[in-house]
Amino acid sequence: MLKFYFNRLTRVQNMSVFIQCLNPLTGTNNWEEKDENYDYHQEVARSAFADMLHDIERNQTYYLGIKSAIEKKHQNGEKANVLDIGTGTGLLSMMAAKCGADTITACEAFTPMAKCAIKIIQENGFEDKIKLVHKRSTEMTVGKDGDMVKKANILVTEVFDTELIGEGALSTFRHAHENLLEENSIVVPHTATIWVQVVESSTVCAWNTIHPIQNKNKCLLNIPYSVKSCSGAAAVHDIQLTQFPDNAFKPLLPPQPIFRFDLSGKSTLLYDEKKCLHVKPTVNGTAHAIFMWWDLVMDINNEVLLSCAPVWEHPDTKTLQNKGFSMKVIANAMPWRDHWMQAIYYLPVETSIAANNEISLIGYHDEYSLWFQLINESINEVPDCKRPVCTCNIHVAYCRTRIGQLNDYTRNEKYIKALEKKITSDTVCLCLSDGCLLGLAAIKLGAKKIFILETNLLSRKCIEMFVKTNDLSEKVEVIESVNNLPPESAINLIFGEPYFITSIVPWENLHFWYLVSRYSSQIQRIPIAATIMGIVVEFKDLHKIREPVGVCEGFDLSIFDKLIQASSDKSDSPIEAQPLWEYPAKALTLPFVIKKFNLTQNVYESENVNISETVPILIEGTCNGVALWVDWQLNSEITVSSGPTIEVHPGKRISWDPFTRQGVHLFKDITHVTLQSNVLWSFNFIPQYGNVKFDFRVLSKNMQ
């Protein structure tokens, strides 16, 4: 199953493919040699089955549900004929075989996984019990010459995402009941329930809408009405809510079950539905957003529950608290899953509510999505409400992290202080960053004129909207292309945050250095330096997204591990971007400097960098990753960091900047390290081509 990429030229030579790729540092397109099956390997590596298979609770509850269903059919004197939709590795089918199913048909449409599942099923000795069909379930046939001789009477499937229904679960179950299952079939899971909780949280709001830029009680930049009134993006905001600070939100009412889906087939699953809850808030406050999660009941006796609730609302939490366990201990013991997180939905209108005054909380869903609204009174007739769509371009142009970054008062304050030291009434500033509202704010700080480079169309529209709202047209000129940058004689200050939409990992924002190098070093600039930093860590869970599964619930899945690893080696960068505030990590070393760059010098005149050093392990632990970030030195006194927010202490959890994604290197071989261990790191950088390469290796005592 290969993706087709438009506007891409390729040529094949010696079983390789040359792909034209954008270098985010230089901003130029380069030819890169890749494996001829590069697209295929990307598909496989990103299939994201691995972290799901590390979810012990998921695996065990499915096992119990399957066992219960098969026993029930046998107790009724029936054969247990199982259909497994989207089998993946074949794990659930092998569970069914182990539990004594009479027949098992598994279907898998993704070709690499279908082939892999066949090998895994053979390796575990179930090839005579499981029939694998390489099709979507909606393409399967039943009959003498069909994919199944007769309809199944047990369905087991896992087709859920963070939003529960986003992968087409409703249509999958509905089609199966109408075409592939007998009446009175048992379905695993049996039911699914979506839970919602209304909250007040300025922190949450900061991810969804832009706030005015303030300085010393003075407004430097007002917000367009179209931004204030926009309902936001329809895309789900998935998040690890258990890691969200408990002092950053206020629940306004207890969690409410709003949609319950009977997956058993006794009632038809609806693609379009609305549900109104009449509830009384427990406290006064302003309703900003909805926290959402869901749970599954795996068996018809309602005895096996899998909950995706955050720790403060998890059904096991009160039980553990009554036994004397602290919330910290409970949170640490909660099942971790990156495939089913919680979600935030933003209410179209902020609403003030009062305790004990009944309100109407309304939920809507179509075949794939959820959305909500809240009315501050009890209503009888539920209004229709269209799925939210961004009308201001902000939510399309920028990711949630960037929107939060634009609202970070502490960060903005540092940039404003740095600008104040440089700006005079004669300042003509060139701003080199995408969506840089601080560049516009420089006008209110006294700058004579601002040039803003905006090569991204949507970002440019957003900036032009802010320019118009703040009556800055006479002092701001928006430039669409680097080829149209003003001459050196026209400017005397170059400013950047730096932030670029094309940047994924933090150091790719060094694109600022390449842009600023079009001018001589005589022109003042902010920032003046950038330092790539690193720290060796022990992740509590994050490493599981790349960790081999091995044996899962007694079944050998090493063939799957080899498939994923082989494709990852051919398609993945050794460094990926992650929002580390969501993923607990313990420091095993102190932060170390990898390379400091002087941004006042021309990047093309800089020498190639080839560094290799070691960093000592300062506390015993499990070494499974290295975290990387960039510190931006605005001047000799002010630094903005995309890394830790407080001082790092070995052995303690690291607090990360929540408004950037850090770079992460995950070790393939997880190693127990002691005080005698070191980590060898190397860094290579070729300024002329913008090539960056990291390498990390754990050295035990006998290797040093």
Side-chain angles (χ1 to χ4, degrees), residues 35 81 91 178 188 237 260 309 357 364 385 436 439 478 517 536 618 628 692:
D35 183 278
N81 300 315
L91 177 64
E178 292 172 353
V188 182
H237 183 185
R260 183 179 182 273
N357 286 355
Y364 305 84
C385 178
C436 186
V478 181
S517 292
V536 182
L618 298 181
L628 303 160
V692 175

Side-chain angles (χ1 to χ4, degrees), residues 330-626:
I330 295 170
N332 194 55
M334 279 290 117
W336 176 82
R337 45 182 67 103
D338 211 43
H339 47 286
W340 298 334
M341 290 187 273
Q342 298 81 38
I344 298 174
Y345 293 86
Y346 298 92
L347 292 168
V349 179
E350 294 181 5
T351 306
S352 295
I353 57 178
N356 298 317
N357 286 355
E358 193 169 87
I359 62 173
S360 299
L361 174 58
I362 310 168
Y364 305 84
H365 77 79
D366 57 20
E367 191 174 346
Y368 301 100
S369 306
L370 304 165
W371 62 97
F372 303 89
Q373 72 166 319
L374 187 147
I375 298 175
N376 196 6
E377 61 179 329
S378 179
I379 60 172
N380 295 320
E381 187 174 345
V382 182
D384 290 329
C385 178
K386 291 184 178 180
R387 184 170 176 258
V389 176
C390 174
T391 55
C392 72
N393 289 320
I394 291 284
H395 305 92
V396 182
Y398 311 123
C399 62
R400 300 283 185 194
T401 301
R402 174 57 173 169
I403 294 173
Q405 189 179 73
L406 291 170
N407 290 317
D408 185 353
Y409 178 82
T410 303
R411 177 181 178 276
N412 288 345
E413 189 178 40
K414 290 183 176 182
Y415 279 105
I416 290 169
K417 284 182 178 180
L419 282 167
E420 285 179 321
K421 290 179 179 292
K422 294 292 185 182
I423 287 180
T424 69
S425 59
D426 294 324
T427 298
V428 178
C429 179
L430 170 60
C431 182
L432 301 174
S433 280
D434 290 340
C436 186
L437 301 183
L438 290 165
L440 296 178
I443 292 291
K444 294 289 183 70
L445 296 175
K448 183 178 180 180
K449 183 172 183 178
I450 303 291
F451 293 95
I452 294 185
L453 175 66
E454 282 288 354
T455 58
N456 180 278
L457 175 62
L458 289 177
S459 185
R460 185 164 64 249
K461 286 184 177 180
C462 293
I463 289 295
E464 289 171 345
M465 181 171 53
F466 276 88
V467 169
K468 183 178 180 180
T469 296
N470 289 271
D471 296 322
L472 301 176
S473 300
E474 293 183 0
K475 293 189 175 184
V476 175
E477 182 177 336
V478 181
I479 303 167
E480 298 183 9
S481 169
V482 293
N483 297 323
N484 298 327
L485 287 172
E488 188 165 316
S489 58
I491 60 174
N492 49 35
L493 175 65
I494 302 177
F495 170 74
E497 296 188 47
Y499 168 83
F500 298 95
I501 291 171
T502 54
S503 299
I504 305 299
V505 286
W507 49 89
E508 289 178 350
N509 287 312
L510 282 169
H511 181 50
F512 171 82
W513 193 14
Y514 285 83
L515 291 173
V516 82
S517 292
R518 291 169 173 262
Y519 297 91
S520 73
S521 58
Q522 303 302 313
I523 299 180
Q524 297 184 90
R525 56 196 63 179
I526 301 173
I528 60 172
T531 306
I532 300 179
M533 302 289 296
I535 188 168
V536 182
V537 301
E538 175 183 317
F539 286 115
K540 177 180 176 290
D541 296 300
L542 182 60
H543 60 286
K544 295 174 185 175
I545 64 174
R546 299 289 175 264
E547 185 179 20
V549 178
V551 175
C552 178
E553 297 301 316
F555 302 101
D556 186 356
L557 303 185
S558 56
I559 292 173
F560 166 77
D561 292 332
K562 292 175 183 176
L563 171 70
I564 296 295
Q565 190 58 60
S567 289
S568 179
D569 289 344
K570 293 176 180 178
S571 66
D572 285 349
S573 167
I575 309 292
E576 59 187 277
Q578 294 286 352
L580 290 185
W581 74 268
E582 295 186 54
Y583 302 100
K586 179 174 71 176
L588 299 181
T589 68
L590 288 171
F592 55 92
V593 174
I594 292 178
K595 179 61 181 178
K596 182 175 182 178
F597 298 105
N598 182 353
L599 305 185
T600 66
Q601 296 178 349
N602 190 312
V603 63
Y604 294 106
E605 295 175 0
S606 302
E607 295 182 353
N608 293 350
V609 179
N610 191 356
I611 311 170
S612 183
E613 295 183 11
T614 59
V615 57
I617 297 294
L618 298 181
I619 188 165
E620 189 171 336
T622 301
C623 181
N624 52 31
V626 178

Side-chain angles (χ1 to χ4, degrees), residues 285-312:
T286 301
H288 290 134
I290 304 284
F291 287 170
M292 186 281 288
W293 60 90
W294 48 263
D295 62 32
L296 301 174
V297 173
M298 308 303 289
D299 65 318
I300 60 176
N301 297 320
N302 298 321
E303 295 175 348
V304 182
L305 177 72
L306 186 154
S307 173
C308 294
V311 64
W312 68 84

Side-chain angles (χ1 to χ4, degrees), residues 217-246:
N217 297 321
K218 178 182 178 182
C219 182
L220 300 183
L221 199 68
N222 289 311
I223 307 303
Y225 175 77
S226 61
V227 176
K228 294 178 184 178
S229 60
C230 182
S231 59
V236 62
H237 183 185
D238 51 348
I239 190 172
Q240 296 281 1
L241 275 181
T242 291
Q243 304 307 323
F244 193 61
D246 55 11

